[in-house]
Amino acid sequence: MKKMALFLALCMMGTAVFCGCGSKDNEEISANESSVSQSAELSDTAQDDSAEVSVTGTWGVSEIIDADGNSQTLEEFCQAKGVTAEQVGGIYTFNDDGSAICTVAGVDVEGSYEFDGSTLTLTINGTSTPYTYNAEKGTIECTDANTGATSVFVRQ
């Protein structure tokens, strides 16, 4: 009886191993096909990216990511801090001529910006702040050196 139970257990393990291997091969094939497809899409995108990337337009804060990587929408962040989105959320307008208008708490402040395709440097009242353009997400991000929190801006 013990031999029969051992034999059945080994058969079940063998079946599980073979089924798992077959499934894994199919997943690998699908993953490889997907990878090839994505590579082709990236090649097409790379050709399209030869055109200059632009940040002109209006951008607003959509989320805040704290120093530990926890993400909150602007509304969730404001609710937790007991403030309104208008008090902390900025609306930035970047014009074709390099000028910028930043609206925070209903107050417009003029400045200028430079953009090299990946880094946006915003200068207001003589103070320059670097922002990172994330082409994959289509966002502009700025990390506060004091708190480690990152503000993520999206086109409005």
Side-chain angles (χ1 to χ4, degrees):
M1 185 66 164
K2 288 183 182 180
K3 288 182 185 180
M4 183 60 112
L6 179 59
F7 177 75
L8 288 174
L10 290 174
C11 287
M12 288 177 20
M13 287 176 44
T15 302
V17 168
F18 288 120
C19 289
C21 289
S23 176
K24 183 177 178 185
D25 289 341
N26 290 339
E27 289 173 7
E28 286 178 8
I29 290 168
S30 294
N32 288 338
E33 288 172 356
S34 176
S35 177
V36 169
S37 173
Q38 287 175 348
S39 294
E41 289 174 17
L42 289 176
S43 295
D44 292 343
T45 303
Q47 290 172 355
D48 293 342
D49 286 346
S50 61
E52 187 175 321
V53 176
S54 174
V55 294
T56 58
T58 302
W59 297 75
V61 177
S62 67
E63 69 179 304
I64 309 290
I65 303 170
D66 68 19
D68 296 326
N70 302 310
S71 176
Q72 295 180 311
T73 65
L74 178 61
E75 290 74 21
E76 292 168 337
F77 176 82
C78 291
Q79 186 177 14
K81 300 293 183 186
V83 295
T84 65
E86 292 76 30
Q87 291 173 312
V88 296
I91 301 292
Y92 294 1
T93 302
F94 301 108
N95 300 309
D96 287 331
D97 64 358
S99 65
I101 299 172
C102 304
T103 305
V104 178
V107 177
D108 290 344
V109 179
E110 293 184 14
S112 63
Y113 75 97
E114 292 181 6
F115 180 63
D116 67 7
S118 62
T119 302
L120 181 144
T121 304
L122 178 63
T123 304
I124 297 177
N125 296 329
T127 302
S128 296
T129 306
Y131 292 71
T132 303
Y133 176 71
N134 185 326
E136 184 177 308
K137 295 179 181 178
T139 60
I140 298 173
E141 302 172 2
C142 181
T143 302
D144 184 317
N146 296 321
T147 65
T150 299
S151 298
V152 180
F153 294 80
V154 295
R155 286 188 192 269
Q156 302 291 296

